Amino acid sequence: MVENTFANPAPLGLFGFGITTILLSLHNAGLIELSTVILALAVCLGGSAQIIAGIFEMKFNNTFGATAFISFGFFWISLVIIWLLPAIGSVKAVDPISMGIYLLIFGVFTLFMFVSTLKHTKILQLLFGVLAIVFFLLAIGDFTNLAIITTIGGYLGVFTGAVAIYACIGQIINNDWEKDIFKL
């Protein structure tokens, strides 16, 4: 029998999601401008690293991890394309209703993924539960054009990203120390 030689890919995916979510959420909260830092991070760590983590989750037969990381990885890449494509082509910029629908669909997907987390750790329950609320708030902000709702979604998104990074660091440290130092 061949021993598994793969490391746990989840911390990579969680970190990619967490840091990208924090930076974009700081923008949504009105604290920083949307910049190439956020866009590059969204493509590299938010997108590519999560997709890689999701593909390796398949090796572990983890349908939840694979689906979550690959879906959210492509979310980040598609979001960057939504923002950049109008600048490089003859495509019209996204309107608030279309963006609201995009965010709403991801909110519904995240809500269903939250249901699955009820069979997983408390930290994943918190992560997906709060993330669903963030998507719904951002969608409502786009539908209503009420900046305060987007701002609240931004602050809650910063918290969501921090939860993902906590889960990342917790998995790494718990694995390295071979005991539950971080409660997950």
Side-chain angles (χ1 to χ4, degrees), residues 1-182:
M1 182 171 185
V2 177
E3 186 178 328
N4 179 12
T5 58
F6 287 98
N8 179 2
L12 171 64
L14 288 164
F15 180 70
F17 176 80
I19 191 168
T20 308
T21 300
I22 288 172
L23 282 175
L24 180 58
S25 295
L26 289 170
H27 164 71
N28 287 336
L31 300 174
I32 63 173
E33 294 294 320
L34 183 64
S35 70
T36 54
V37 170
I38 296 171
L39 298 179
L41 197 59
V43 170
C44 295
L45 273 170
S48 301
Q50 281 192 88
I51 292 166
I52 291 167
I55 290 168
F56 279 97
E57 286 286 4
M58 289 180 186
K59 172 74 176 160
F60 294 109
N61 198 29
N62 182 353
T63 302
F64 177 86
T67 303
F69 286 135
I70 293 170
S71 297
F72 288 111
F74 279 113
F75 164 81
W76 289 114
I77 292 171
S78 68
L79 187 61
V80 171
I81 291 171
I82 288 168
W83 288 332
L84 292 182
L85 201 54
I88 61 175
S90 60
V91 178
K92 184 179 173 186
V94 67
D95 62 277
I97 298 301
S98 296
M99 183 56 91
I101 291 169
Y102 172 80
L103 294 167
L104 179 64
I105 290 168
F106 269 97
V108 170
F109 169 73
T110 304
L111 183 61
F112 284 122
M113 292 297 282
F114 166 75
V115 172
S116 187
T117 67
L118 299 175
K119 298 289 264 179
H120 294 269
T121 62
K122 297 289 184 204
I123 199 73
L124 282 181
Q125 292 170 21
L126 179 63
L127 178 62
F128 279 83
V130 176
L131 180 58
I133 295 168
V134 169
F135 274 122
F136 292 134
L137 286 171
L138 296 176
I140 292 167
D142 278 335
F143 289 144
T144 63
N145 200 29
L146 292 173
I148 188 67
I149 296 174
T150 301
T151 300
I152 294 168
Y155 280 106
L156 198 53
V158 171
F159 174 75
T160 304
V163 170
I165 292 174
Y166 174 90
C168 159
I169 298 301
Q171 286 188 29
I172 292 169
I173 290 174
N174 288 355
N175 180 68
D176 287 347
W177 286 84
E178 298 178 349
K179 59 183 171 180
D180 289 336
I181 295 170
F182 278 66

